[in-house]
Amino acid sequence: MDKKKAAVPLVCHGHSRPVVDLFYSPITPDGFFLISASKDSTPMLRNGETGDWIGTFEGHKGAVWSCCLDSNALRAASASADFSAKLWDALTGDELHSFEHKHIVRACSFSEDTHLLLTGGFEKILRIFDLNRPDAPSREVDKSPGSIRTIAWLHSDQTILSSCSETGGVRLWDVRSGKIVQTLETKSPVTSAEVSQDGRYITTADGSTVKFWDANHFGLVKSYDMPSNVESASLEPKLGNKFIAGGEDMWVHVLDFHTGEKIGCHKGHHGPVHCVRFAPGGESFASGSEDGTIRIWQSGPVNHNENESSLPGNGPTEKVKVSVDVVSGEIENLQISKEGENVEKKDKAIDS
């Protein structure tokens, strides 16, 4: 790429171990938010536009493999190697409930109506928890053919899709019957599965291939071979005309959805890219890496050529201050991690 047009990302520090999952909230009256999962056991919440750190959810005792926000960004969920999935208040940082499992939990997802939480992992069981009755036993969907790697809801919470760590394919489950109704066949295990914002496509990454499936008729729409193994892919949500992919070569590739032609290649991570996701408006996208950083890249043309090191670090440091208006002044009891020092603000708004 032309050096003068080289993309300069916002670099978000704070995690001490690899970042393995990213999730953007929909656009809310307070903007949109980005939550990250890391092997350091502490999911982090950020302003989705600026990357500014809002707070850290503290309580897991093992690597956190998956995280998500509900449609209003009022609650967060996380799935962990400590055999639990946790529900959090995204305004205060408080743990609302811990859903205990019998093995490592690899994935979690809120239903569209936000009333249910879906989990999956090494138990090979899809579990559905009723968030209106968090103490009630989960509903167990029929046994998965392998350890569950990714999960997602579609068709207004009538269908669940899941992939396995050891075997290829994406399985589609009918929620009412709890049975597999269709399998999208892939040669390699699917490491990333995303339902597009308009509900038209399922984007998957398996091996060195990115595939796009019709989310209603389940036919294969597009399949593109990548230069190396990819772990994650995401379709631009507004126009649907391009997609991003990241993997073992440490780069974030931008490609044309219709032709597969390479549009751009963003370099900067110092380890494999484990997750990539577009922001809900499509104006930017984020990547999380083995190097412990999150980078937020602009989708549009970049007219500046700043040195990355001159950019402000968007991570929790001693000088970080949380803006009250980030969540409309409602963040009051957020547990903030400051380089190993835990500070809990009670009964007052966080300093602006």
Side-chain angles (χ1 to χ4, degrees):
M1 290 178 68
D2 184 344
K3 261 194 172 181
K4 292 180 181 177
K5 295 181 181 177
V8 180
L10 293 166
V11 184
C12 306
H13 300 282
H15 284 298
S16 59
R17 296 200 62 206
V19 178
V20 292
D21 193 28
L22 294 169
F23 184 94
Y24 276 105
S25 77
I27 297 170
T28 75
D30 299 309
F32 60 95
F33 302 90
L34 175 65
I35 189 171
S36 55
S38 168
K39 290 183 181 179
D40 66 8
S41 80
T42 53
M44 288 187 179
L45 184 66
R46 298 178 184 274
N47 179 302
E49 185 175 4
T50 65
D52 288 336
W53 174 73
I54 295 173
T56 298
F57 299 101
E58 297 177 342
H60 278 299
K61 294 178 173 61
V64 175
W65 287 106
S66 176
C67 57
C68 56
L69 293 162
D70 69 14
S71 56
N72 299 309
L74 298 177
R75 292 178 300 181
S78 52
S80 173
D82 66 6
F83 293 19
S84 77
K86 291 185 185 292
L87 180 69
W88 311 87
D89 186 318
L91 297 179
T92 66
D94 293 335
E95 181 182 314
L96 299 176
H97 198 82
S98 184
F99 300 100
E100 301 307 314
H101 293 63
K102 295 174 183 175
H103 214 313
I104 292 168
V105 192
R106 281 297 301 261
C108 60
S109 180
F110 283 105
S111 60
E112 189 180 313
D113 65 11
T114 74
H115 296 318
L116 305 173
L117 181 68
L118 173 67
T119 66
F122 282 29
E123 282 185 277
K124 304 180 182 180
I125 297 170
L126 289 166
R127 296 182 180 278
I128 300 173
F129 295 92
D130 184 344
L131 299 181
N132 295 318
R133 298 185 306 131
D135 291 318
S138 64
R139 179 190 163 193
E140 295 184 9
V141 180
D142 208 10
K143 200 167 179 67
S144 168
S147 174
I148 296 163
R149 174 72 181 263
T150 66
I151 54 176
W153 299 86
L154 66 161
H155 301 156
S156 301
D157 304 331
Q158 297 303 303
T159 307
I160 291 169
L161 64 82
S162 71
S163 71
C164 297
S165 298
E166 309 90 356
T167 57
V170 174
R171 284 147 198 90
L172 296 150
W173 306 75
D174 182 278
V175 172
R176 286 164 297 185
S177 68
K179 302 295 183 184
I180 296 172
V181 293
Q182 184 101 12
T183 300
L184 311 181
E185 298 292 349
T186 65
K187 290 181 180 179
S188 304
V190 170
T191 52
S192 168
E194 175 192 76
V195 179
S196 64
Q197 195 165 278
D198 60 9
R200 289 179 62 191
Y201 298 110
I202 299 167
T203 304
T204 62
D206 73 284
S208 60
T209 306
V210 176
K211 294 181 174 69
F212 298 93
W213 310 81
D214 186 307
N216 295 301
H217 303 290
F218 307 124
L220 182 61
V221 179
K222 303 276 186 185
S223 180
Y224 296 119
D225 291 326
M226 306 298 292
S228 65
N229 279 351
V230 290
E231 276 197 56
S232 184
S234 182
L235 181 64
E236 196 280 330
K238 286 296 184 183
L239 302 175
N241 58 351
K242 59 187 173 183
F243 67 96
I244 50 175
E248 66 180 20
D249 65 3
M250 301 187 282
W251 301 345
V252 181
H253 300 271
V254 186
L255 302 103
D256 185 284
F257 168 77
H258 301 288
T259 66
E261 183 182 349
K262 190 168 166 183
I263 298 171
C265 182
H266 297 320
K267 304 176 182 180
H269 280 297
H270 304 294
V273 176
H274 295 310
C275 43
V276 292
R277 285 293 178 259
F278 263 104
E283 69 283 357
S284 62
F285 51 88
S287 54
S289 167
E290 181 76 15
D291 65 18
T293 68
I294 300 163
R295 291 167 191 255
I296 298 177
W297 313 81
Q298 295 304 307
S299 294
V302 179
N303 299 317
H304 48 80
N305 185 28
E306 300 175 55
N307 189 312
E308 180 185 306
S309 63
S310 70
L311 289 171
N314 294 296
T317 69
E318 290 295 342
K319 295 182 180 179
V320 166
K321 289 189 178 180
V322 181
S323 173
V324 173
D325 63 6
V326 167
V327 196
S328 290
E330 296 181 62
I331 307 176
E332 293 184 347
N333 302 317
L334 189 58
Q335 294 178 4
I336 303 173
S337 174
K338 295 189 177 183
E339 296 182 351
E341 176 187 359
N342 295 331
V343 179
E344 186 171 358
K345 305 275 187 177
K346 287 189 175 178
D347 304 319
K348 62 179 179 178
I350 291 173
D351 293 339
S352 58

